[in-house]
Every structure is written in structure tokens, then in C-alpha cells.
Amino acid sequence: MKLIRKITFPFVPIYYVVTSLRNTLYDLGIKKSVSYDFPIICVGNLSVGGTGKTPMIEYLTKLLKYDYRVATLSRGYKRKTKGFQLGNETSSVDTLGDEPFQFYSKFKNDVLVAVDSDRNNGIKKLGLLQNKPEVILLDDAFQHRKVKAGFNILLTAYNNLYTEDFILPTGNLREPKIGAKRANVIVVTKCPMNLAENDKTSIIKKLSIEPYQHVFFSFINYAENVISVERNIKLNDLKHFTLVTGIANASTLVQFLEEKDLRFEHLNYNDHHDFSATDIKELETKQLIITTEKDFMRLKQFASLKSKLFYLPINIVLDNEPKFNALIKDFCEKFKR
């Protein structure tokens, strides 16, 4: 893979020019962005996958759901449906995609969960509902310039800052680093829990933020129990298991489990992996399977795995939570004034 990326380096200037030109056309108003008169919060990144967008959307959902009618709007990657879809009792991974179905499974009684590759159409459809949302959270839409979100949250992983990356196809950046200037807030995700203040200062310096931007640091908090449809098991009581991941970067999870001296084998699939019949046959031979919540959404449909399939819940902890929460709530409140 590293060799292929080196070979494709001559294509980097082409990708750079194309993405830069696209952004310039939007910045100059030649290509149109639609603004809205209610709060729209975009969560995204500059790189391809693995920065923690799903936990951030869940964090914002929990923060806002008691004061507003909230909707999440995603593309619905790898779903088997087209156009606008609103989560309901018949929804599945196939109709919504794994991450939106995860949102629906957790928050179906509190928020609306919708998918549409055309975000403007999705916003329009949500606005026509009788119980239309008062706040919309756009998942993975930082490059979706057709919508001009009122508030942009840009995520970058601690061990792979966008400032130290290259643009596609050699690196992982979807657009040039200057795109970060569109963000109101930058969150450095997946930080070690004991991150020192001087390390934070060093990272902020690397990010070279603008006066209007705020930087926060987030940490993954893993649960003490693994969860299945029927029961829970204490993580520390596990003797040996198979870890199954189909996410962009499983290194943080693997490191956490290794630091707890747990014994496991790791079956590492590509992000958003569609588990085939062959995959399921192999998993049926395993005694106990621990997976991520996103992968659990895909695997729980297989009855043969029901008794052995568990997931490890996570949430994020922010280093300056009151300030972050105040920025989000103040943004939403200004539309009521």
C-alpha cells in the first residue's frame, strides 16, 4: 500500500488543483451554497475516515436533544436504498447504512435520523415533516459545500494530524489543508488520557488556527462491560475472544485491549465492510466475538452469531467540555433571538 501511494505521488498536484478550484468557486459564490435560517451543525474532517465522527454526532445529540427537536442527516454510505430515507421501525443497515442505523437504534425515541446523498434535498424533506427538526446535525459533510452550515466542527486524529498529511492519492486528505479555515471548532480526537498541557500547546501551534477558531482535545472512554442483545459481560472477565473490526483505524481500540492484558485474535476488515457468507462461516467457528458498535449493527442480523456477539460501547470526553457545550448552545440559541 505504501508503495502504491509513493507511485501515485505525481497525481497529487492534479488532485490538489481540482479540489482547490472547486473550493475557490464556492468561496467566490460562483458555485452556490445554500444557507438556512435555523441551526445546522456540520461534523467532518479533511482526511479519509478514522477521526471519530460518529461519537461526536452522538455527543451533540445527547447535548441538544432535551432542548431542541434534533435530526441527524448522513449520506448513508453503502446502504441499498436511494434518495431520502427517514429512520423508522422497519429500518436496517441496508436502508440507512451502518452509522445512521446506529444513531437510530440508540436515539429513535429522541431524534429524527435521515439519510440523503443530496444534503439540501434531505434538509428540505426534513423541513416538510409535521414535527420538523429545530437543529440538524450533518454527518461527514465538511466537503459538501452545497450546504453552508452555520457551524463547522472539524475533527483530526491525534496520531494523524491533517497538518502532517498529504492530499490524496498519496496521503489521506480529501482537500488541501487550507480548507481547515472553514471550521469554527477543531477537535483533536483519540488523544491519550494523560495528554500534557505543553503537548496541547504544541499541537495548537501546528494547527496554526485563526482568531475565530477554537481547539479542543477529546479522549475515548471505553465502557467496563461488553454488550449483546441478551446480556452483558465485564470486560475484565473475558479470558479469550476474537476482535472483529470493520472501521477505518482500529489501532486505538487494539492498544486499549492490549494494555488491559486481554488475550484476543484480531480479524481486521476494511471500513464499512460487507460481511459475506464466507466471513460469517468463519465467525461461526469463534467462541466469543467482540466488535465495535458500528460493526455490531451489521453482524447482529445473523442469528448464528447471536449468542456469541458483543460490542464494546464508547463515548468521548472533551478536555474543556463546558466551553465546547457553551459554543454549541450559543450558536443554536441565536436563532431564537
Side-chain angles (χ1 to χ4, degrees), residues 274-293:
D274 284 324
F275 291 93
S276 65
T278 303
D279 295 330
I280 300 306
K281 225 171 223 187
E282 181 182 7
L283 295 180
E284 286 172 351
T285 67
K286 308 301 179 182
Q287 289 188 328
L288 183 67
I289 299 169
I290 308 299
T291 190
T292 67
E293 191 168 1

Side-chain angles (χ1 to χ4, degrees), residues 81-279:
T81 56
K82 300 291 184 182
F84 179 81
Q85 297 286 325
L86 186 65
N88 57 49
E89 292 181 356
T90 66
S91 295
S92 66
V93 168
D94 288 342
T95 61
L96 295 180
D98 49 16
E99 289 159 345
F101 185 56
Q102 179 177 323
F103 300 150
Y104 179 76
S105 299
K106 295 178 84 164
F107 302 112
K108 58 186 174 185
N109 296 323
D110 301 312
V111 304
L112 298 166
V113 176
V115 295
D116 198 326
S117 58
D118 182 341
R119 302 307 204 286
N120 279 316
N121 183 65
I123 293 169
K124 179 182 177 182
K125 294 284 188 181
L126 285 168
L128 294 174
L129 298 175
Q130 188 173 359
N131 61 333
K132 65 181 181 180
E134 298 170 306
V135 178
I136 294 179
L137 306 177
L138 294 183
D139 176 32
D140 195 13
F142 196 73
Q143 284 77 35
H144 198 93
R145 299 292 305 273
K146 290 182 180 179
V147 174
K148 189 173 183 179
F151 199 93
N152 283 292
I153 301 174
L154 179 68
L155 309 182
T156 185
Y158 168 80
N159 60 358
N160 189 24
L161 298 175
Y162 64 79
T163 54
E164 299 170 356
D165 204 348
F166 289 95
I167 203 165
L168 289 165
T170 295
N172 292 312
L173 297 184
R174 299 171 172 179
E175 61 173 298
K177 300 167 190 177
I178 196 172
K181 304 300 182 186
R182 300 196 304 274
N184 301 89
V185 160
I186 298 172
V187 181
V188 182
T189 62
K190 302 183 179 181
C191 297
M193 290 296 290
N194 57 349
L195 185 63
E197 289 301 319
N198 61 329
D199 290 331
K200 293 179 184 179
T201 302
S202 175
I203 290 171
I204 292 171
K205 187 175 180 180
K206 287 180 183 178
L207 296 178
S208 187
I209 63 171
E210 298 294 329
Y212 56 84
Q213 294 180 310
H214 304 268
V215 178
F216 296 88
F217 297 84
S218 72
F219 318 87
I220 294 177
N221 183 37
Y222 291 97
E224 296 182 359
N225 293 350
V226 291
I227 298 173
S228 75
V229 173
E230 299 176 337
R231 61 195 174 110
N232 300 346
I233 301 177
K234 284 189 177 297
L235 188 60
N236 289 335
D237 290 342
L238 299 177
K239 303 301 181 186
H240 185 270
F241 59 90
T242 300
L243 175 66
V244 176
T245 59
I247 57 178
N249 187 349
S251 61
T252 304
L253 173 57
V254 170
Q255 181 180 353
F256 168 75
L257 295 173
E258 288 177 341
E259 288 175 352
K260 294 183 75 68
D261 292 325
L262 296 172
R263 295 175 56 243
F264 62 93
E265 64 169 332
H266 183 197
L267 299 181
N268 189 20
Y269 299 93
N270 291 331
D271 197 15
H272 300 281
H273 180 70
D274 284 324
F275 291 93
S276 65
T278 303
D279 295 330

Side-chain angles (χ1 to χ4, degrees), residues 42-61:
C42 168
V43 175
N45 51 21
L46 292 186
S47 61
V48 179
T51 56
K53 294 183 294 294
T54 301
M56 178 55 72
I57 290 288
E58 292 188 357
Y59 180 96
L60 294 170
T61 299

Side-chain angles (χ1 to χ4, degrees), residues 5 8-17 166-171:
R5 292 202 165 196
T8 58
F9 185 77
F11 296 98
V12 168
I14 298 172
Y15 193 92
Y16 185 97
V17 169
F166 289 95
I167 203 165
L168 289 165
T170 295

